[in-house]
Amino acid sequence: LSQIKPTEEKITTVESDLFIAKISSLCGGSIVSFQIKDHLGPDSGFVNLSSNDNKKNLLISFRNLDGEILELEGGWLVENTYDSLYINKETTLSYTFPHGNKNITKRITIYPQSFIFDVEIDMTPVVNNLLEERFSFSWIGGLPPTEKDSTAEEYFFGTYLYQGGELLDVKASKGDSFKNDYRGKTDWVATRSKYFVAATIATNETGFLGASVSGSNNKHELYDINTYLNPNTKSFISFYLGPLEYERIRGLGVGLDSIMDFGWPIIRPISKGILWALKSMYNYIPNYGIVLIIFSILVKLAVYPLTKRSYESTRA
């Protein structure tokens, strides 16, 4: 593993109605802080999906002609002049990595009303310096716990891949660790916590060349996700970092909503119907505590004939 000479880190703060993100020049635009405005943590502050464990994210790496793995962490140059901005339209941050006498470029486009980051990577100028006809794009360190009871929350942590229309679910046992490689066309790979997800999504029909996932369940569950891309052409990737809101991730149209557990297939329509009912009621009563009380009363009324018949049968 070879290290690149670091350059001075530059952080750009990007704020929208949805989030406050701090984007570092390290790794060519790593997300070192990502606070979501609509979700509060145990300390009543905004939930932050970036931590010391996962700050080395959106990382590009490849194997050079000497067989060494180069991780492009330090050494990126920033093409943007601003330190902070509030966005109301799509905004692109551009980074350049000098490799020999040629440049690797990465462009990250951020949208004010979305948790999607569109990433464009151009490795074509240095393709002859790669030992393999592929390079890696990684999210390292998973997602941090966001609940007060982090032990109970860890039941929901895990990694997922979508290949050939099938969902692969990978999770580390207590005290164990793993690293799995998957070859073949991959549509997306994701790591999730109880309420949030980080997902790398292919934006073309050919998908990724493959993917690898690794995980550790020691101090708390940490999962790394990694995709393999073709360096012979420009790569276009969508990266989702945000809440597991069913309508939002279903709207991506890539099957990412399949990582949400609605129970056995026979009861999933019922589960989704209940979710729809609760969200519809919330549009008129913006307090989920009251919504749940009203919903439970409605359920009681709906099943009252059956309950009454059961009581009468028991009494008889």
PDB file of all heavy atoms in Angstrom, residues 179-208:
ATOM      1  N   LYS A 179     -14.487 -10.247   4.769  1.00  0.00           N
ATOM      2  CA  LYS A 179     -14.268  -9.475   3.537  1.00  0.00           C
ATOM      3  C   LYS A 179     -14.675 -10.378   2.382  1.00  0.00           C
ATOM      4  O   LYS A 179     -14.102 -11.452   2.197  1.00  0.00           O
ATOM      5  CB  LYS A 179     -12.819  -9.031   3.386  1.00  0.00           C
ATOM      6  CG  LYS A 179     -12.568  -8.218   2.107  1.00  0.00           C
ATOM      7  CD  LYS A 179     -11.146  -7.710   2.050  1.00  0.00           C
ATOM      8  CE  LYS A 179     -10.849  -7.010   0.723  1.00  0.00           C
ATOM      9  NZ  LYS A 179     -11.709  -5.867   0.448  1.00  0.00           N
ATOM     10  N   ASN A 180     -15.671  -9.969   1.612  1.00  0.00           N
ATOM     11  CA  ASN A 180     -16.191 -10.765   0.503  1.00  0.00           C
ATOM     12  C   ASN A 180     -16.087  -9.990  -0.799  1.00  0.00           C
ATOM     13  O   ASN A 180     -16.404  -8.796  -0.844  1.00  0.00           O
ATOM     14  CB  ASN A 180     -17.665 -11.134   0.734  1.00  0.00           C
ATOM     15  CG  ASN A 180     -17.853 -12.013   1.959  1.00  0.00           C
ATOM     16  OD1 ASN A 180     -16.930 -12.673   2.416  1.00  0.00           O
ATOM     17  ND2 ASN A 180     -19.065 -12.018   2.497  1.00  0.00           N
ATOM     18  N   ASP A 181     -15.647 -10.687  -1.849  1.00  0.00           N
ATOM     19  CA  ASP A 181     -15.580 -10.107  -3.190  1.00  0.00           C
ATOM     20  C   ASP A 181     -16.668 -10.725  -4.059  1.00  0.00           C
ATOM     21  O   ASP A 181     -16.910 -11.935  -4.009  1.00  0.00           O
ATOM     22  CB  ASP A 181     -14.214 -10.366  -3.830  1.00  0.00           C
ATOM     23  CG  ASP A 181     -13.133  -9.480  -3.246  1.00  0.00           C
ATOM     24  OD1 ASP A 181     -13.269  -8.253  -3.328  1.00  0.00           O
ATOM     25  OD2 ASP A 181     -12.161 -10.025  -2.690  1.00  0.00           O
ATOM     26  N   TYR A 182     -17.306  -9.885  -4.869  1.00  0.00           N
ATOM     27  CA  TYR A 182     -18.361 -10.339  -5.755  1.00  0.00           C
ATOM     28  C   TYR A 182     -18.047  -9.865  -7.166  1.00  0.00           C
ATOM     29  O   TYR A 182     -17.886  -8.666  -7.400  1.00  0.00           O
ATOM     30  CB  TYR A 182     -19.711  -9.790  -5.307  1.00  0.00           C
ATOM     31  CG  TYR A 182     -20.112 -10.228  -3.916  1.00  0.00           C
ATOM     32  CD1 TYR A 182     -19.712  -9.496  -2.803  1.00  0.00           C
ATOM     33  CD2 TYR A 182     -20.875 -11.369  -3.719  1.00  0.00           C
ATOM     34  CE1 TYR A 182     -20.067  -9.897  -1.525  1.00  0.00           C
ATOM     35  CE2 TYR A 182     -21.246 -11.778  -2.444  1.00  0.00           C
ATOM     36  CZ  TYR A 182     -20.834 -11.038  -1.352  1.00  0.00           C
ATOM     37  OH  TYR A 182     -21.179 -11.438  -0.092  1.00  0.00           O
ATOM     38  N   ARG A 183     -17.937 -10.798  -8.094  1.00  0.00           N
ATOM     39  CA  ARG A 183     -17.670 -10.464  -9.493  1.00  0.00           C
ATOM     40  C   ARG A 183     -18.979 -10.343 -10.253  1.00  0.00           C
ATOM     41  O   ARG A 183     -20.009 -10.866  -9.843  1.00  0.00           O
ATOM     42  CB  ARG A 183     -16.794 -11.550 -10.129  1.00  0.00           C
ATOM     43  CG  ARG A 183     -15.454 -11.735  -9.418  1.00  0.00           C
ATOM     44  CD  ARG A 183     -14.549 -10.540  -9.600  1.00  0.00           C
ATOM     45  NE  ARG A 183     -13.285 -10.690  -8.902  1.00  0.00           N
ATOM     46  CZ  ARG A 183     -12.293  -9.818  -8.967  1.00  0.00           C
ATOM     47  NH1 ARG A 183     -12.445  -8.728  -9.710  1.00  0.00           N
ATOM     48  NH2 ARG A 183     -11.177 -10.002  -8.300  1.00  0.00           N
ATOM     49  N   GLY A 184     -18.916  -9.679 -11.382  1.00  0.00           N
ATOM     50  CA  GLY A 184     -20.084  -9.582 -12.242  1.00  0.00           C
ATOM     51  C   GLY A 184     -20.814  -8.264 -12.073  1.00  0.00           C
ATOM     52  O   GLY A 184     -20.527  -7.464 -11.168  1.00  0.00           O
ATOM     53  N   LYS A 185     -21.751  -8.024 -12.965  1.00  0.00           N
ATOM     54  CA  LYS A 185     -22.507  -6.773 -13.016  1.00  0.00           C
ATOM     55  C   LYS A 185     -23.199  -6.520 -11.681  1.00  0.00           C
ATOM     56  O   LYS A 185     -23.953  -7.351 -11.180  1.00  0.00           O
ATOM     57  CB  LYS A 185     -23.525  -6.834 -14.137  1.00  0.00           C
ATOM     58  CG  LYS A 185     -24.422  -5.609 -14.252  1.00  0.00           C
ATOM     59  CD  LYS A 185     -25.387  -5.752 -15.417  1.00  0.00           C
ATOM     60  CE  LYS A 185     -26.350  -4.585 -15.510  1.00  0.00           C
ATOM     61  NZ  LYS A 185     -27.309  -4.542 -14.393  1.00  0.00           N
ATOM     62  N   THR A 186     -22.929  -5.360 -11.108  1.00  0.00           N
ATOM     63  CA  THR A 186     -23.503  -4.962  -9.828  1.00  0.00           C
ATOM     64  C   THR A 186     -24.219  -3.626 -10.014  1.00  0.00           C
ATOM     65  O   THR A 186     -23.642  -2.673 -10.526  1.00  0.00           O
ATOM     66  CB  THR A 186     -22.404  -4.817  -8.756  1.00  0.00           C
ATOM     67  OG1 THR A 186     -21.680  -6.050  -8.656  1.00  0.00           O
ATOM     68  CG2 THR A 186     -23.008  -4.481  -7.400  1.00  0.00           C
ATOM     69  N   ASP A 187     -25.484  -3.572  -9.601  1.00  0.00           N
ATOM     70  CA  ASP A 187     -26.269  -2.347  -9.774  1.00  0.00           C
ATOM     71  C   ASP A 187     -26.000  -1.335  -8.664  1.00  0.00           C
ATOM     72  O   ASP A 187     -25.945  -0.138  -8.913  1.00  0.00           O
ATOM     73  CB  ASP A 187     -27.758  -2.684  -9.819  1.00  0.00           C
ATOM     74  CG  ASP A 187     -28.113  -3.535 -11.023  1.00  0.00           C
ATOM     75  OD1 ASP A 187     -27.674  -3.186 -12.132  1.00  0.00           O
ATOM     76  OD2 ASP A 187     -28.809  -4.553 -10.859  1.00  0.00           O
ATOM     77  N   TRP A 188     -25.883  -1.830  -7.441  1.00  0.00           N
ATOM     78  CA  TRP A 188     -25.555  -0.937  -6.328  1.00  0.00           C
ATOM     79  C   TRP A 188     -25.059  -1.749  -5.139  1.00  0.00           C
ATOM     80  O   TRP A 188     -25.267  -2.960  -5.058  1.00  0.00           O
ATOM     81  CB  TRP A 188     -26.730  -0.046  -5.919  1.00  0.00           C
ATOM     82  CG  TRP A 188     -28.035  -0.737  -5.644  1.00  0.00           C
ATOM     83  CD1 TRP A 188     -29.104  -0.856  -6.493  1.00  0.00           C
ATOM     84  CD2 TRP A 188     -28.447  -1.385  -4.424  1.00  0.00           C
ATOM     85  NE1 TRP A 188     -30.133  -1.540  -5.891  1.00  0.00           N
ATOM     86  CE2 TRP A 188     -29.769  -1.868  -4.617  1.00  0.00           C
ATOM     87  CE3 TRP A 188     -27.837  -1.596  -3.188  1.00  0.00           C
ATOM     88  CZ2 TRP A 188     -30.470  -2.556  -3.624  1.00  0.00           C
ATOM     89  CZ3 TRP A 188     -28.528  -2.282  -2.196  1.00  0.00           C
ATOM     90  CH2 TRP A 188     -29.828  -2.752  -2.411  1.00  0.00           C
ATOM     91  N   VAL A 189     -24.379  -1.064  -4.243  1.00  0.00           N
ATOM     92  CA  VAL A 189     -23.923  -1.662  -2.995  1.00  0.00           C
ATOM     93  C   VAL A 189     -24.158  -0.632  -1.901  1.00  0.00           C
ATOM     94  O   VAL A 189     -23.994   0.572  -2.110  1.00  0.00           O
ATOM     95  CB  VAL A 189     -22.440  -2.094  -3.090  1.00  0.00           C
ATOM     96  CG1 VAL A 189     -21.537  -0.917  -3.448  1.00  0.00           C
ATOM     97  CG2 VAL A 189     -21.964  -2.746  -1.794  1.00  0.00           C
ATOM     98  N   ALA A 190     -24.601  -1.094  -0.722  1.00  0.00           N
ATOM     99  CA  ALA A 190     -25.030  -0.156   0.317  1.00  0.00           C
ATOM    100  C   ALA A 190     -24.648  -0.666   1.700  1.00  0.00           C
ATOM    101  O   ALA A 190     -24.496  -1.871   1.927  1.00  0.00           O
ATOM    102  CB  ALA A 190     -26.544   0.060   0.248  1.00  0.00           C
ATOM    103  N   THR A 191     -24.494   0.261   2.620  1.00  0.00           N
ATOM    104  CA  THR A 191     -24.352  -0.056   4.033  1.00  0.00           C
ATOM    105  C   THR A 191     -25.370   0.791   4.791  1.00  0.00           C
ATOM    106  O   THR A 191     -25.589   1.953   4.450  1.00  0.00           O
ATOM    107  CB  THR A 191     -22.916   0.212   4.542  1.00  0.00           C
ATOM    108  OG1 THR A 191     -22.827  -0.118   5.924  1.00  0.00           O
ATOM    109  CG2 THR A 191     -22.506   1.673   4.356  1.00  0.00           C
ATOM    110  N   ARG A 192     -26.009   0.194   5.805  1.00  0.00           N
ATOM    111  CA  ARG A 192     -27.084   0.898   6.487  1.00  0.00           C
ATOM    112  C   ARG A 192     -26.950   0.802   7.996  1.00  0.00           C
ATOM    113  O   ARG A 192     -26.249  -0.062   8.537  1.00  0.00           O
ATOM    114  CB  ARG A 192     -28.443   0.343   6.076  1.00  0.00           C
ATOM    115  CG  ARG A 192     -28.687  -1.096   6.506  1.00  0.00           C
ATOM    116  CD  ARG A 192     -30.165  -1.462   6.456  1.00  0.00           C
ATOM    117  NE  ARG A 192     -30.930  -0.798   7.497  1.00  0.00           N
ATOM    118  CZ  ARG A 192     -32.230  -0.981   7.707  1.00  0.00           C
ATOM    119  NH1 ARG A 192     -32.911  -1.802   6.938  1.00  0.00           N
ATOM    120  NH2 ARG A 192     -32.843  -0.352   8.680  1.00  0.00           N
ATOM    121  N   SER A 193     -27.602   1.744   8.667  1.00  0.00           N
ATOM    122  CA  SER A 193     -27.823   1.670  10.107  1.00  0.00           C
ATOM    123  C   SER A 193     -29.331   1.481  10.292  1.00  0.00           C
ATOM    124  O   SER A 193     -30.014   1.028   9.376  1.00  0.00           O
ATOM    125  CB  SER A 193     -27.312   2.943  10.793  1.00  0.00           C
ATOM    126  OG  SER A 193     -27.989   4.089  10.307  1.00  0.00           O
ATOM    127  N   LYS A 194     -29.863   1.810  11.444  1.00  0.00           N
ATOM    128  CA  LYS A 194     -31.292   1.584  11.669  1.00  0.00           C
ATOM    129  C   LYS A 194     -32.147   2.479  10.781  1.00  0.00           C
ATOM    130  O   LYS A 194     -33.137   2.025  10.188  1.00  0.00           O
ATOM    131  CB  LYS A 194     -31.631   1.819  13.130  1.00  0.00           C
ATOM    132  CG  LYS A 194     -33.075   1.451  13.501  1.00  0.00           C
ATOM    133  CD  LYS A 194     -33.314   1.578  14.993  1.00  0.00           C
ATOM    134  CE  LYS A 194     -34.738   1.139  15.348  1.00  0.00           C
ATOM    135  NZ  LYS A 194     -34.990   1.223  16.812  1.00  0.00           N
ATOM    136  N   TYR A 195     -31.769   3.756  10.663  1.00  0.00           N
ATOM    137  CA  TYR A 195     -32.619   4.711   9.966  1.00  0.00           C
ATOM    138  C   TYR A 195     -31.953   5.374   8.765  1.00  0.00           C
ATOM    139  O   TYR A 195     -32.583   6.194   8.093  1.00  0.00           O
ATOM    140  CB  TYR A 195     -33.074   5.806  10.934  1.00  0.00           C
ATOM    141  CG  TYR A 195     -33.948   5.301  12.055  1.00  0.00           C
ATOM    142  CD1 TYR A 195     -33.531   5.391  13.383  1.00  0.00           C
ATOM    143  CD2 TYR A 195     -35.201   4.741  11.799  1.00  0.00           C
ATOM    144  CE1 TYR A 195     -34.332   4.933  14.424  1.00  0.00           C
ATOM    145  CE2 TYR A 195     -36.004   4.281  12.830  1.00  0.00           C
ATOM    146  CZ  TYR A 195     -35.562   4.384  14.136  1.00  0.00           C
ATOM    147  OH  TYR A 195     -36.355   3.920  15.164  1.00  0.00           O
ATOM    148  N   PHE A 196     -30.674   5.048   8.492  1.00  0.00           N
ATOM    149  CA  PHE A 196     -29.947   5.754   7.439  1.00  0.00           C
ATOM    150  C   PHE A 196     -29.181   4.769   6.565  1.00  0.00           C
ATOM    151  O   PHE A 196     -28.924   3.635   6.952  1.00  0.00           O
ATOM    152  CB  PHE A 196     -28.999   6.794   8.053  1.00  0.00           C
ATOM    153  CG  PHE A 196     -29.705   7.805   8.915  1.00  0.00           C
ATOM    154  CD1 PHE A 196     -29.805   7.628  10.291  1.00  0.00           C
ATOM    155  CD2 PHE A 196     -30.293   8.922   8.341  1.00  0.00           C
ATOM    156  CE1 PHE A 196     -30.479   8.548  11.078  1.00  0.00           C
ATOM    157  CE2 PHE A 196     -30.973   9.845   9.125  1.00  0.00           C
ATOM    158  CZ  PHE A 196     -31.058   9.659  10.491  1.00  0.00           C
ATOM    159  N   VAL A 197     -28.803   5.248   5.371  1.00  0.00           N
ATOM    160  CA  VAL A 197     -28.116   4.375   4.423  1.00  0.00           C
ATOM    161  C   VAL A 197     -27.108   5.187   3.609  1.00  0.00           C
ATOM    162  O   VAL A 197     -27.329   6.368   3.315  1.00  0.00           O
ATOM    163  CB  VAL A 197     -29.125   3.673   3.486  1.00  0.00           C
ATOM    164  CG1 VAL A 197     -29.914   4.695   2.669  1.00  0.00           C
ATOM    165  CG2 VAL A 197     -28.441   2.673   2.567  1.00  0.00           C
ATOM    166  N   ALA A 198     -25.991   4.541   3.266  1.00  0.00           N
ATOM    167  CA  ALA A 198     -25.019   5.070   2.309  1.00  0.00           C
ATOM    168  C   ALA A 198     -24.952   4.065   1.170  1.00  0.00           C
ATOM    169  O   ALA A 198     -24.665   2.884   1.401  1.00  0.00           O
ATOM    170  CB  ALA A 198     -23.645   5.252   2.959  1.00  0.00           C
ATOM    171  N   ALA A 199     -25.235   4.507  -0.052  1.00  0.00           N
ATOM    172  CA  ALA A 199     -25.323   3.583  -1.184  1.00  0.00           C
ATOM    173  C   ALA A 199     -24.603   4.136  -2.398  1.00  0.00           C
ATOM    174  O   ALA A 199     -24.771   5.308  -2.749  1.00  0.00           O
ATOM    175  CB  ALA A 199     -26.786   3.306  -1.530  1.00  0.00           C
ATOM    176  N   THR A 200     -23.803   3.283  -3.040  1.00  0.00           N
ATOM    177  CA  THR A 200     -23.135   3.618  -4.290  1.00  0.00           C
ATOM    178  C   THR A 200     -23.929   2.971  -5.422  1.00  0.00           C
ATOM    179  O   THR A 200     -24.081   1.750  -5.455  1.00  0.00           O
ATOM    180  CB  THR A 200     -21.689   3.098  -4.299  1.00  0.00           C
ATOM    181  OG1 THR A 200     -21.004   3.585  -3.142  1.00  0.00           O
ATOM    182  CG2 THR A 200     -20.955   3.575  -5.537  1.00  0.00           C
ATOM    183  N   ILE A 201     -24.423   3.789  -6.355  1.00  0.00           N
ATOM    184  CA  ILE A 201     -25.389   3.328  -7.353  1.00  0.00           C
ATOM    185  C   ILE A 201     -24.832   3.549  -8.757  1.00  0.00           C
ATOM    186  O   ILE A 201     -24.390   4.647  -9.095  1.00  0.00           O
ATOM    187  CB  ILE A 201     -26.717   4.091  -7.197  1.00  0.00           C
ATOM    188  CG1 ILE A 201     -27.258   3.933  -5.767  1.00  0.00           C
ATOM    189  CG2 ILE A 201     -27.741   3.618  -8.220  1.00  0.00           C
ATOM    190  CD1 ILE A 201     -28.366   4.921  -5.437  1.00  0.00           C
ATOM    191  N   ALA A 202     -24.844   2.489  -9.566  1.00  0.00           N
ATOM    192  CA  ALA A 202     -24.426   2.623 -10.960  1.00  0.00           C
ATOM    193  C   ALA A 202     -25.499   3.382 -11.737  1.00  0.00           C
ATOM    194  O   ALA A 202     -26.691   3.169 -11.537  1.00  0.00           O
ATOM    195  CB  ALA A 202     -24.209   1.246 -11.577  1.00  0.00           C
ATOM    196  N   THR A 203     -25.070   4.258 -12.626  1.00  0.00           N
ATOM    197  CA  THR A 203     -26.020   5.081 -13.371  1.00  0.00           C
ATOM    198  C   THR A 203     -26.150   4.651 -14.835  1.00  0.00           C
ATOM    199  O   THR A 203     -26.836   5.310 -15.606  1.00  0.00           O
ATOM    200  CB  THR A 203     -25.609   6.565 -13.320  1.00  0.00           C
ATOM    201  OG1 THR A 203     -24.289   6.706 -13.871  1.00  0.00           O
ATOM    202  CG2 THR A 203     -25.612   7.078 -11.892  1.00  0.00           C
ATOM    203  N   ASN A 204     -25.484   3.551 -15.214  1.00  0.00           N
ATOM    204  CA  ASN A 204     -25.642   3.052 -16.581  1.00  0.00           C
ATOM    205  C   ASN A 204     -26.072   1.596 -16.541  1.00  0.00           C
ATOM    206  O   ASN A 204     -26.007   0.934 -15.503  1.00  0.00           O
ATOM    207  CB  ASN A 204     -24.335   3.214 -17.383  1.00  0.00           C
ATOM    208  CG  ASN A 204     -23.148   2.581 -16.674  1.00  0.00           C
ATOM    209  OD1 ASN A 204     -23.255   1.490 -16.124  1.00  0.00           O
ATOM    210  ND2 ASN A 204     -22.021   3.263 -16.685  1.00  0.00           N
ATOM    211  N   GLU A 205     -26.514   1.078 -17.676  1.00  0.00           N
ATOM    212  CA  GLU A 205     -27.056  -0.270 -17.736  1.00  0.00           C
ATOM    213  C   GLU A 205     -26.001  -1.343 -17.512  1.00  0.00           C
ATOM    214  O   GLU A 205     -26.326  -2.456 -17.106  1.00  0.00           O
ATOM    215  CB  GLU A 205     -27.749  -0.491 -19.080  1.00  0.00           C
ATOM    216  CG  GLU A 205     -29.003   0.358 -19.275  1.00  0.00           C
ATOM    217  CD  GLU A 205     -29.707   0.053 -20.579  1.00  0.00           C
ATOM    218  OE1 GLU A 205     -29.187  -0.810 -21.333  1.00  0.00           O
ATOM    219  OE2 GLU A 205     -30.758   0.659 -20.846  1.00  0.00           O
ATOM    220  N   THR A 206     -24.740  -1.033 -17.764  1.00  0.00           N
ATOM    221  CA  THR A 206     -23.684  -2.035 -17.584  1.00  0.00           C
ATOM    222  C   THR A 206     -23.327  -2.237 -16.122  1.00  0.00           C
ATOM    223  O   THR A 206     -22.722  -3.240 -15.763  1.00  0.00           O
ATOM    224  CB  THR A 206     -22.420  -1.627 -18.363  1.00  0.00           C
ATOM    225  OG1 THR A 206     -21.978  -0.333 -17.902  1.00  0.00           O
ATOM    226  CG2 THR A 206     -22.700  -1.549 -19.849  1.00  0.00           C
ATOM    227  N   GLY A 207     -23.717  -1.288 -15.253  1.00  0.00           N
ATOM    228  CA  GLY A 207     -23.440  -1.429 -13.828  1.00  0.00           C
ATOM    229  C   GLY A 207     -21.964  -1.362 -13.505  1.00  0.00           C
ATOM    230  O   GLY A 207     -21.134  -0.957 -14.329  1.00  0.00           O
ATOM    231  N   PHE A 208     -21.624  -1.770 -12.292  1.00  0.00           N
ATOM    232  CA  PHE A 208     -20.225  -1.855 -11.876  1.00  0.00           C
ATOM    233  C   PHE A 208     -19.637  -3.196 -12.312  1.00  0.00           C
ATOM    234  O   PHE A 208     -20.361  -4.171 -12.536  1.00  0.00           O
ATOM    235  CB  PHE A 208     -20.109  -1.708 -10.362  1.00  0.00           C
ATOM    236  CG  PHE A 208     -20.652  -0.402  -9.826  1.00  0.00           C
ATOM    237  CD1 PHE A 208     -21.670  -0.393  -8.881  1.00  0.00           C
ATOM    238  CD2 PHE A 208     -20.152   0.814 -10.264  1.00  0.00           C
ATOM    239  CE1 PHE A 208     -22.171   0.789  -8.382  1.00  0.00           C
ATOM    240  CE2 PHE A 208     -20.652   2.011  -9.782  1.00  0.00           C
ATOM    241  CZ  PHE A 208     -21.661   1.997  -8.837  1.00  0.00           C
TER     242      PHE A 208
END
